[in-house]
């Protein structure tokens, strides 16, 4: 009997038991952003600790941080085999608006082979799968094919403010050969995907100040600078009519797409007409010479997220606004550095500042981009495991969004990162009626179990960058 058949029989037999255990995990309202749930955060950490113990893991500890705790566990008896660091989070988003939920967010319910609860997909369900895959292999074999370390935090949904410091302080404890994260999604129903790159992020607020107060447009219009006009002039200077960013040096360090990547994206058969219909536009827009997927996965952006200033009430108020402002963010790609980009933005703003106003630039969140080459052995091994279970080719994708802590893992621990998720974009994570398709729960358990076996066939040297 093959290893996959043995795993399949095991998970089929244990399915109801596993679902009941997962429901207990999901019933804990571990909302990290709300202080009234501090005790629930501790309860969530303790539940994980108990689950690790039940699975057969060792050296289990709830490590306190300046915020919510980190839960660590390991099993390190696979001599000369790779070590896998598994990262996830047990905190969840708030549930508002509660009236839009069709069932209680912390009273898990299965409907139409979907498990409804806050955290079902993001990220408790996916963390739970890794724990149960380890438990299965230990029960069936008495050992694991690789060494494993779990690092499950309680602050991902609030930006992981204390995790980077924890990683820096525990580099030896967290030393591994590869990091595996299941907190991303598949390409679509029945279409598994390994995400091998994420864009970084930087953001600024631009505040323009003209006269000491709003001025009458009849008395001063045409003779004193209008702050909104000045702001619009600055914003207009950022991009040309085709979306190319005109900040000097912005593209200097952008890593070009490999031809193999462009071919892989084209092979996905992405339908741009369907996207236009989905988002309600007549045309797509973006940097010339790139497809939509290339633009959102592998090219940097500069977007205006909000503009404020002047009078916006009913009717007309004939004034020259004294103040105006805007918020902008940039999505960054390898090898762009957020600090360098912000410096270039400031220089550009100063250069294009109209006469008659002062400009203040305030910096916001920054996160570095991350990439593991998509032909890396750990990435390809994940693809093979997906294909055995889903029986279709694995898609190799990048993510257009940002998960700053992933870049921190990459930079501090200097390890390849494998993002192998089992969620779907339609599962309402962060929204009412979050759910997890149990088809992917069932298949995902088998994929993860097989992936550990796939990794055991790779040497530590092969896994090195």
């Amino acid at each position: 009997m093959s290893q996959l058949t043995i795993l399949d029989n095991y998970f089929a037999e244990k399915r109801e038991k596993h679902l009941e255990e997962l429901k207990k995990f999901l019933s804990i309202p571990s909302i990290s952003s709300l202080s009234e749930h501090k005790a629930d955060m501790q309860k969530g950490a303790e539940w994980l600790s108990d689950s690790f113990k039940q699975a057969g893991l060792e050296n289990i500890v709830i490590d306190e941080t300046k915020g919510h705790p980190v839960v660590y566990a390991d099993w390190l008896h696979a001599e000369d085999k790779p070590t896998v660091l598994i990262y996830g989070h047990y905190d969840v988003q708030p549930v508002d608006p509660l009236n839009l939920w069709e069932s209680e967010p912390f009273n898990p319910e299965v409907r139409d082979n979907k498990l409804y609860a806050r955290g079902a997909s993001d990220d408790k369900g996916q963390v739970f799968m890794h724990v149960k895959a380890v438990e299965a292999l230990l029960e069936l074999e008495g050992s694991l094919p690789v060494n494993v370390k779990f690092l499950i935090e309680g602050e991902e949904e609030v930006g992981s403010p204390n995790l980077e410091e924890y990683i820096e302080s525990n580099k030896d404890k967290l030393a591994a050969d590869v990091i595996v994260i299941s907190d991303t999604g598949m390409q679509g129903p029945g279409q598994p995907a390994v995400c091998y790159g994420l864009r970084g992020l930087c953001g600024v607020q631009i505040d323009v100040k003209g006269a000491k107060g709003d001025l009458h447009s009849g008395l001063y219009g045409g003779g004193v600078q209008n702050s909104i006009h000045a702001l619009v002039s600055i914003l207009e200077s950022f991009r040309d009519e085709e979306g190319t960013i005109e900040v000097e040096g912005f593209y200097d360090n952008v890593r070009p797409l490999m031809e193999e990547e462009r071919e892989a994206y084209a092979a996905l058969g992405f339908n741009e007409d369907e996207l236009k219909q989905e988002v309600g536009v007549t045309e797509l827009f973006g940097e010339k010479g790139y497809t939509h997927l290339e633009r959102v996965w592998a090219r940097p952006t500069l977007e205006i997220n909000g503009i404020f200033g002047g009078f916006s009430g009913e009717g007309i108020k004939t004034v020259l606004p004294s103040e105006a402002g805007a918020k902008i963010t940039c999505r960054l790609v390898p090898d762009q550095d957020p600090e360098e980009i912000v410096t270039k933005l400031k220089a550009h703003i100063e250069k294009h500042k109209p006469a008659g106003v002062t400009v203040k630039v305030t910096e916001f969140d920054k996160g570095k981009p991350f990439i593991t080459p998509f032909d890396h052995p750990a990435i390809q091994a994940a693809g093979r495991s997906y294909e055995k279970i889903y029986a279709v080719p694995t898609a190799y994708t990048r993510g257009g969004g940002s998960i700053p802590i992933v870049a921190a893992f990459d930079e501090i621990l200097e390890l390849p990162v494998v993002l192998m998720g089992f969620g779907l974009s339609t599962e309402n994570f962060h929204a009412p009626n979050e759910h997890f398709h149990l088809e992917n729960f069932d298949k995902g358990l088998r994929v993860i179990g097989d992936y550990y076996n796939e990794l055991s066939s790779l040497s530590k040297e092969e896994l090195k960058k």
Side-chain angles (χ1 to χ4, degrees):
M1 190 179 295
S2 71
Q3 177 72 33
L4 273 178
T5 301
I6 294 170
L7 280 173
D8 188 65
N9 292 340
Y10 175 91
F11 288 126
E13 180 185 339
K14 301 279 187 178
R15 187 177 194 267
E16 293 308 313
K17 178 177 182 291
H18 286 166
L19 282 179
E20 288 306 310
E21 290 176 7
L22 177 54
K23 286 179 181 179
K24 289 179 181 178
F25 191 22
L26 294 171
S27 70
I28 302 170
S30 48
I31 304 172
S32 55
S33 61
L34 301 179
S35 58
E36 62 261 37
H37 287 284
K38 185 175 181 180
D40 294 314
M41 294 302 302
Q42 186 68 34
K43 186 177 178 181
E46 290 170 356
W47 190 96
L48 263 178
S49 176
D50 291 342
S51 184
F52 285 151
K53 184 177 181 180
Q54 176 185 316
L57 290 160
E58 302 169 345
N59 301 311
I60 303 164
V61 61
I62 298 175
D63 279 330
E64 299 298 328
T65 71
K66 293 176 184 175
H68 300 304
V70 165
V71 189
Y72 173 89
D74 63 35
W75 188 94
L76 305 174
H77 304 294
E79 189 175 350
D80 298 326
K81 292 294 183 179
T83 298
V84 183
L85 176 61
I86 301 149
Y87 163 80
H89 63 94
Y90 65 91
D91 65 322
V92 299
Q93 284 278 328
V95 298
D96 307 279
L98 188 59
N99 65 298
L100 296 182
W101 284 81
E102 295 177 12
S103 54
E104 291 295 322
F106 296 109
N107 185 16
E109 184 176 300
V110 175
R111 302 193 300 272
D112 300 322
N113 205 34
K114 302 168 190 173
L115 177 59
Y116 285 81
R118 173 59 88 226
S121 180
D122 179 23
D123 178 39
K124 286 182 176 178
Q126 300 198 60
V127 166
F128 180 83
M129 289 159 64
H130 278 277
V131 179
K132 290 303 157 183
V134 165
E135 182 179 292
L137 291 171
L138 285 172
E139 279 193 27
L140 293 168
E141 305 290 341
S143 65
L144 298 179
V146 291
N147 301 293
V148 298
K149 297 179 179 181
F150 279 83
L151 172 63
I152 312 299
E153 69 155 320
E155 296 185 312
E156 193 274 345
E157 299 292 8
V158 291
S160 304
N162 297 294
L163 190 62
E164 191 165 338
E165 180 182 345
Y166 178 87
I167 298 168
E168 284 278 12
S169 302
N170 292 276
K171 283 198 279 190
D172 290 341
K173 179 177 178 176
L174 301 175
D177 299 293
V178 61
I179 300 170
V180 175
I181 301 173
S182 294
D183 193 16
T184 51
M186 309 210 312
Q187 185 68 9
Q191 176 57 71
V194 180
C195 180
Y196 66 93
L198 296 168
R199 291 195 289 193
L201 177 71
C202 67
V204 300
Q205 178 171 313
I206 305 167
D207 290 289
V208 177
K209 173 72 174 173
K212 62 182 180 181
D214 290 355
L215 300 176
H216 190 292
S217 67
L219 297 177
Y220 297 97
V224 176
Q225 181 65 271
N226 182 316
S227 292
I228 291 181
H229 282 292
L231 174 66
V232 169
S233 177
I234 293 170
L235 298 179
E236 180 67 16
S237 73
F238 280 130
R239 304 194 318 190
D240 71 11
E241 61 203 25
E242 293 182 325
T244 300
I245 298 162
E246 298 197 307
V247 174
E248 186 175 350
F250 189 87
Y251 293 104
D252 282 355
N253 296 319
V254 171
R255 187 184 303 184
L257 272 162
M258 295 169 18
E259 191 56 38
E260 293 88 343
E261 291 178 286
R262 304 190 85 162
E263 291 172 0
Y265 299 171
L268 295 175
F270 182 80
N271 190 315
E272 295 192 354
D273 289 331
E274 288 182 1
L275 175 64
K276 285 187 282 188
Q277 185 175 0
E278 178 186 337
V279 301
V281 298
T282 57
E283 297 293 337
L284 298 179
F285 174 82
E287 193 180 357
K288 190 175 181 179
Y290 297 92
T291 67
H292 176 76
L293 290 183
E294 290 169 353
R295 290 169 185 160
V296 299
W297 286 351
R299 297 299 294 173
T301 69
L302 187 155
E303 299 288 354
I304 302 165
N305 307 121
I307 300 177
F308 46 93
F311 176 72
S312 58
E314 185 178 356
I316 292 291
K317 185 178 183 182
T318 53
V319 295
L320 274 65
S322 167
E323 299 177 348
K327 297 178 187 290
I328 68 170
T329 53
C330 298
R331 296 289 179 174
L332 309 178
V333 299
D335 299 293
Q336 290 181 299
D337 180 83
E339 298 288 350
E340 290 181 7
I341 294 300
V342 168
T343 298
K344 290 173 179 177
L345 290 175
K346 287 181 175 179
H348 179 92
I349 292 166
E350 184 63 29
K351 179 179 178 180
H352 291 82
K353 178 183 70 176
V357 295
T358 58
V359 178
K360 176 185 175 183
V361 179
T362 304
E363 301 178 21
F364 288 115
D365 293 351
K366 300 185 189 76
K368 290 187 177 181
F370 132 82
I371 191 167
T372 296
F374 86 107
D375 57 355
H376 190 282
I379 297 285
Q380 293 298 311
R384 290 193 297 274
S385 291
Y386 272 125
E387 289 171 7
K388 290 177 192 175
I389 306 303
Y390 283 87
V392 297
T394 300
Y396 296 94
T397 68
R398 295 199 207 180
S402 306
I403 308 177
I405 200 60
V406 173
F409 276 123
D410 181 48
E411 186 174 340
I412 298 169
L413 299 180
E414 299 182 338
L415 298 174
V417 181
V418 180
L419 298 168
M420 52 184 306
F422 300 92
L424 293 173
S425 61
T426 57
E427 289 179 336
N428 291 356
F429 35 84
H430 293 205
N433 301 308
E434 178 180 351
H435 57 278
F436 192 18
H437 284 71
L438 292 180
E439 175 189 3
N440 294 324
F441 173 78
D442 294 331
K443 290 183 175 179
L445 285 165
R446 292 149 174 83
V447 170
I448 293 169
D450 184 75
Y451 184 51
Y452 295 151
N453 282 311
E454 281 280 352
L455 285 176
S456 73
S457 67
L458 302 174
S459 70
K460 294 182 180 183
E461 289 300 318
E462 287 179 281
L463 291 171
K464 284 184 178 178
K465 286 187 175 181

